[in-house]
Amino acid sequence: MLPTPTRESRAVDGLFIDGLRFSYGREFSLHVGSLRLAAGEQVLLAGPSGSGKSTLLHLVAGLDEPEAGSITIGGRDIIAVHGARRDRLRGQQIGMIFQTFNLLHGFTAVENVMMPLMMLGVAQDAMRQRAHDALRRLGIERPHADVDTLSVGQQQRVAVARATVTGPALVLADEPTASLDPEASAAAIAVIREACVTAGASLLVTSHDPTLRGEFERVIDVREFVTVGVHA
Amino acid sequence: MTDMTIVLRSLRARSLASVVTVAMVAVAVALLLVLLSMRAAASEAFRRGTGNVHLLVSADASPLVAVLNGMFYANAPANPLSAAKVKEIAEGFPWQWTLPTQLGDSFRGSPVVAAPKKFLTTFEPIVGQGFSLAQGRHLENDFEVVVGSEAARTHGLRVGAKIAMTHGVSVAGSEHVGHEHTDHPYAVVGVLNPTGSAHDRALFTTLESSWIIHAEERREREHESEPEAESHAHEHDHAHDHIDAADLTDADRLVTGILLRLPTRPGSDASASIAAQFDRLRRDTSITVAQPAQQIGRLMAIVGDIDWLFVAMGVVVLVSSAISILLATASSMELRRRQVAILRVLGASAWRVFVLGLTESTLIGLAGAVLGCAIAVVGCFAASALLAQRVGLTFGTGVDPRSAAMVVIGAVALSALAGVIPAAKAYRTTVASHLRPIA
C-alpha cells in the first residue's frame, strides 16, 4: 500500500483514491483504502473478467456513486462535486478509452476528437486545430473520414486522440486490447502509452490479459480491493 | 462544431423517420392554416360583397339564394321582376336609392351586371368604400361596359376593347357557350380597382343596353315564329329592326333584382326602419325580400359550425403528429442510449443531453411548421382559385398572418412537449451500464 500523500503532492497526483467503498447489494463489495498514481505514472489494473476492474474505473470517472471515500484527479475530488460540475470535471481531467472505442457514429474522426473540447466550451478554431494536431500526432491521415470507414486500428487511434486531446490529468483505458490479437494488442498499448506521455497524463489501464503485465512497471490486482459474496 | 451539429447528425442518422415526421407536422400545419385562412377569407369576402345595401328584392326561391345570386353572382336568377313591380316597390317608400339590376348575360364566364348608370357611383361594395376606376371612366352611354378588376385581369380587357356578351351565365371554365350578342358589341370604357369582393369578377353595363339586346332578340324570335305570309307582310317592319331605348316596352324592362337603401342620418341606427320595410315588403308573396347582411350572418353561422369541425380535425392531426414525434424520438432514444452515455463521458451534463433531445423534437416541429406554411400558401392560392371558379367568391389568397403565427407556435410547442419524455429518458441514462461492449 502506498503512503498517503501530503496535501501538496495530492495536488499534482494523477489520481489519489482514499477510503473508497462501493457495493452491489451483498454480492460484491469494493474497498480501496488508498491508491495513488503520480502525475504521468502508468499503471495496469489487472484481474480476471468480472472482478471489478470496470466498476473501479467507472467510480474513478465519477459515473458510479461510492458509499464513502474520495477520488482526487489532478488535485480535485470528483466525488465531492455533483451534476454538471462533475461532468465538467470529468471532461477536463479524465480521458476514457474503451474496448469497442465508443466512437460516435455518423461523425468524422476530427469531429469525434473535437467533441470533448466542445463540451468544455473551447473556441471553434482552437478546437479544430487541437483536434487536427492530436490526430496528426497519432498518424490519422483522413481526419474528415466518417469513423465507420476507418480501419479498426485507426478507430482506436481516434479514440486515443479523443481521450488525450483535452490534456487530461488521467486517462482510463478499459480493456483496450480485449478484442485484439497479441501483436496488435502490444501496438495498441504502445500508442496509448505514448499518447499519455505526450499529453502528460497518468494512465490506468484495465486488462484481464496476463501478457500485458510485463509491459507495465506497476501492476495492481483489483482483487486486492474486492470482496465477493459478502454477507453482512 | 456545435450542439446543433449533434442534433442535425442525429436527425440525419434516421433521415426517413425524420422526413416522415416533418411531413406529418407540415401536413397538419398546412391543413389548419388553409382552413383558418379560408375561414377568415370567406367571412371577409361575404362581408365585403353586400356593402351599403339594406334590402334586396328578387323573385328567387329564398332570401339566401337571392343574396347569393344578386350580390355574389352565384347563378343567373331564373325569374324576373316586372317593370310594374319595380315601379311599385320604388314608389312605395322614400328610399335613399333603388338600383334595379339584371343578371343573365356573361362574358367568357364572367357575369354581366346590367344596372342604372349611377350603380357604380351609388352602390358601395364595402361600406364607405365605393368603386374606383383604375382606367377610363364610368358608364355614360348604352353599350358601354366597365370591367371589374378580376374580370379585366382574367380576360385581358383594357379600355377601348370591343366585346360581345353571351346570353346566360355559364360556369367559368366550362365549355358551355350560350348565344352571343354579336349584333351589339360593347365598348370597354373603364376598368375598376379591386374591391376584394365578388364584384371584381363582374362586368357592368347599362340596363337599357341589356333590355335593347334582349328586346331585339325576342322580337326576332317572334318574327321567325310567325306564319310565312304574315311574315312577308311584316318584313318591312321587322327587317333587322334595330330598336333604341325609346322603343322599349314594359315587357322588355325586366330586372332580376332590386337593391334598396333606406335614408339614414350619420350616427343613427337604421335597423328598426330596415326591419319595418322588410316586413312590409315580404307581405307581397310574389317577391323574395332579403336583408343581405342578415343572410350572410346566417350563412356564416351554418358554415362556421361545419368549418370548426374541420379546424378540430386539423388540431387532431397536429396532435397526432406530435405523438408521432414522441414515438419516433423515444424509439430512437432507446437506440441512442450509448451515444448519450458517450457524450456524458466526454463531459456533457445530463441537462445538456436533455436540451439536445428537446432541440431535436422542437426542430422537427419547426421544420414541419415552416414547410406547412409554404404548403398553406400554395393551398390557399389553390383553394381560392377553386372557390372563385366553383362558388364565384373572390377570396384573399394569402395565409392569415395571425393564424400562421398561432399555428406555428402551437406546432413548435407541441413538438417540444412531445420531446420532453424522450429527452427525460436521455437525461436519466445510466452512463456506466451503456458503455459496456455490445455482446
Side-chain angles (χ1 to χ4, degrees):
Chain A
M1 196 69 67
L2 291 169
T4 303
T6 61
R7 179 182 291 270
E8 290 71 28
S9 68
R10 273 187 207 181
V12 292
D13 282 342
L15 170 67
F16 178 66
I17 301 174
D18 186 23
L20 183 72
R21 285 184 183 280
F22 178 80
S23 61
Y24 283 142
R26 293 177 177 178
E27 282 72 41
F28 177 92
S29 177
L30 187 143
H31 175 224
V32 183
S34 181
L35 173 64
R36 185 171 77 88
L37 264 71
E41 188 179 5
Q42 300 189 341
V43 175
L44 176 68
L45 185 64
S49 293
S51 59
K53 301 186 297 296
S54 294
T55 301
L56 181 56
L57 243 59
H58 290 158
L59 285 164
V60 170
L63 300 174
D64 278 330
E65 205 66 37
E67 289 149 12
S70 67
I71 299 170
T72 308
I73 299 150
R76 296 178 65 185
D77 185 355
I78 197 165
I79 304 303
V81 292
H82 299 277
R85 291 175 66 191
R86 182 185 288 184
D87 295 322
R88 185 169 180 79
L89 180 60
R90 184 190 309 119
Q92 282 173 335
Q93 302 287 24
I94 301 171
M96 288 190 83
I97 301 165
F98 304 92
Q99 180 186 334
T100 51
F101 318 135
N102 279 337
L103 295 174
L104 292 165
H105 300 288
F107 290 83
T108 64
V110 73
E111 284 170 342
N112 264 277
V113 180
M114 285 163 76
M115 202 67 78
L117 296 169
M118 191 186 90
M119 296 303 167
L120 295 175
V122 175
Q124 290 288 325
D125 287 348
M127 186 163 75
R128 196 173 305 278
Q129 188 60 50
R130 284 170 67 177
H132 276 288
D133 290 347
L135 287 170
R136 197 178 306 114
R137 275 197 299 274
L138 286 158
I140 300 296
E141 291 170 354
R142 295 163 56 212
H144 296 292
D146 192 300
V147 286
D148 295 324
T149 67
L150 297 176
S151 67
V152 172
Q154 285 182 317
Q155 285 185 15
Q156 186 166 52
R157 284 165 187 264
V158 173
V160 172
R162 188 179 68 181
T164 54
V165 72
T166 56
L170 175 67
V171 170
L172 302 172
D174 192 6
E175 299 279 4
T177 61
S179 51
L180 303 176
D181 59 54
E183 198 177 327
S185 172
I189 285 294
V191 167
I192 293 169
R193 296 187 71 171
E194 190 183 331
C196 287
V197 169
T198 308
S202 301
L203 172 65
L204 183 61
V205 181
T206 68
S207 177
H208 64 272
D209 180 3
T211 62
L212 282 184
R213 286 175 176 261
E215 303 273 336
F216 289 83
E217 288 176 10
R218 187 176 167 203
V219 177
I220 301 169
D221 195 315
V222 76
R223 285 171 290 189
E224 286 178 35
F225 310 125
V226 173
T227 311
V228 178
V230 180
H231 296 282
Chain B
M1 196 170 65
T2 62
D3 283 8
M4 192 53 81
T5 314
I6 299 174
V7 172
L8 293 175
R9 292 293 168 83
S10 170
L11 290 172
R12 195 177 73 179
R14 49 193 180 91
S15 50
L16 181 63
S18 302
V19 167
V20 169
T21 321
V22 166
M24 274 196 76
V25 177
V27 167
V29 165
L31 182 66
L32 256 180
L33 275 181
V34 169
L35 286 171
L36 288 173
S37 299
M38 283 295 105
R39 190 173 174 277
S43 174
E44 179 66 11
F46 275 117
R47 195 180 63 76
R48 280 171 171 266
T50 56
N52 61 347
V53 171
H54 286 154
L55 295 171
L56 168 66
V57 174
S58 80
D60 285 300
S62 75
L64 182 57
V65 172
V67 173
L68 291 176
N69 287 348
M71 311 220 64
F72 297 96
Y73 316 126
N75 283 301
N79 303 313
L81 293 170
S82 67
K85 185 59 73 181
V86 173
K87 191 177 177 196
E88 178 193 325
I89 291 168
E91 292 176 356
F93 183 78
W95 308 100
Q96 183 177 332
W97 46 252
T98 57
L99 294 170
T101 58
Q102 191 196 61
L103 295 161
D105 286 349
S106 63
F107 175 71
R108 295 181 191 163
S110 296
V112 174
V113 181
K117 293 188 185 83
K118 65 177 181 180
F119 179 88
L120 291 172
T121 51
T122 306
F123 171 63
E124 295 172 349
I126 305 157
V127 178
Q129 290 178 45
F131 289 109
S132 64
L133 286 161
Q135 285 177 36
R137 58 170 173 80
H138 282 304
L139 301 170
E140 288 175 3
N141 304 299
D142 294 337
F143 299 104
E144 289 180 345
V145 64
V146 171
V147 186
S149 59
E150 182 63 21
R153 191 187 63 78
T154 307
H155 306 304
L157 295 176
R158 299 181 61 82
V159 170
K162 296 277 186 187
I163 60 174
M165 304 306 186
T166 303
H167 186 65
V169 177
S170 59
V171 174
S174 77
E175 293 301 314
H176 169 76
V177 178
H179 167 67
E180 242 182 33
H181 303 300
T182 46
D183 286 354
H184 288 286
Y186 285 72
V188 176
V189 296
V191 175
L192 296 170
N193 282 315
T195 64
S197 68
H199 308 289
D200 289 348
R201 58 185 190 87
L203 293 85
F204 301 91
T205 186
T206 63
L207 271 172
E208 284 76 11
S209 312
S210 182
W211 285 336
I212 288 168
I213 285 179
H214 292 110
E216 283 182 3
E217 285 181 354
R218 186 164 59 84
R219 286 170 202 185
E220 208 166 288
R221 277 198 306 275
E222 287 169 0
H223 171 61
E224 282 166 7
S225 63
E226 283 172 4
E228 201 175 333
E230 201 177 333
S231 173
H232 279 296
H234 292 287
E235 201 160 318
H236 174 71
D237 299 337
H238 293 292
H240 287 100
D241 34 357
H242 281 282
I243 61 173
D244 58 28
D247 302 322
L248 293 169
T249 66
D250 277 356
D252 301 316
R253 296 175 196 276
L254 300 176
V255 299
T256 54
I258 313 171
L259 309 185
L260 301 166
R261 182 172 173 83
L262 280 74
T264 53
R265 283 195 300 276
S268 68
D269 183 8
S271 54
S273 312
I274 294 169
Q277 290 311 309
F278 175 70
D279 285 339
R280 182 180 68 80
L281 288 171
R282 66 192 292 212
R283 283 189 207 118
D284 183 346
T285 54
S286 68
I287 58 172
T288 297
V289 190
Q291 295 184 59
Q294 193 183 65
Q295 290 303 317
I296 292 310
R298 281 182 186 164
L299 177 66
M300 293 315 292
I302 297 165
V303 175
D305 287 345
I306 297 165
D307 72 10
W308 273 118
L309 269 177
F310 284 109
V311 171
M313 280 169 59
V315 171
V316 168
V317 175
L318 193 59
V319 170
S320 50
S321 71
I323 292 169
S324 77
I325 291 177
L326 191 155
L327 293 174
T329 321
S331 68
S332 86
M333 196 56 75
E334 282 301 323
L335 301 171
R336 289 186 295 139
R337 295 270 198 178
R338 177 176 288 266
Q339 187 196 51
V340 169
I342 297 166
L343 289 175
R344 295 292 310 282
V345 163
L346 298 179
S349 65
W351 173 249
R352 192 167 184 169
V353 167
F354 177 84
V355 172
L356 285 172
L358 207 61
T359 307
E360 200 173 305
S361 57
T362 308
L363 211 59
I364 289 175
L366 186 64
V370 170
L371 183 63
C373 285
I375 295 170
V377 169
V378 178
C380 280
F381 190 80
S384 174
L386 190 72
L387 286 169
Q389 191 184 51
R390 295 285 171 90
V391 186
L393 279 175
T394 306
F395 280 29
T397 54
V399 172
D400 176 34
R402 210 172 63 170
S403 303
M406 273 168 48
V407 172
V408 167
I409 290 169
V412 172
L414 266 176
S415 307
L417 196 65
V420 168
I421 292 173
K425 276 188 173 182
Y427 181 92
R428 289 199 303 265
T429 295
T430 48
V431 180
S433 62
H434 288 94
L435 291 173
R436 300 186 202 290
I438 300 166

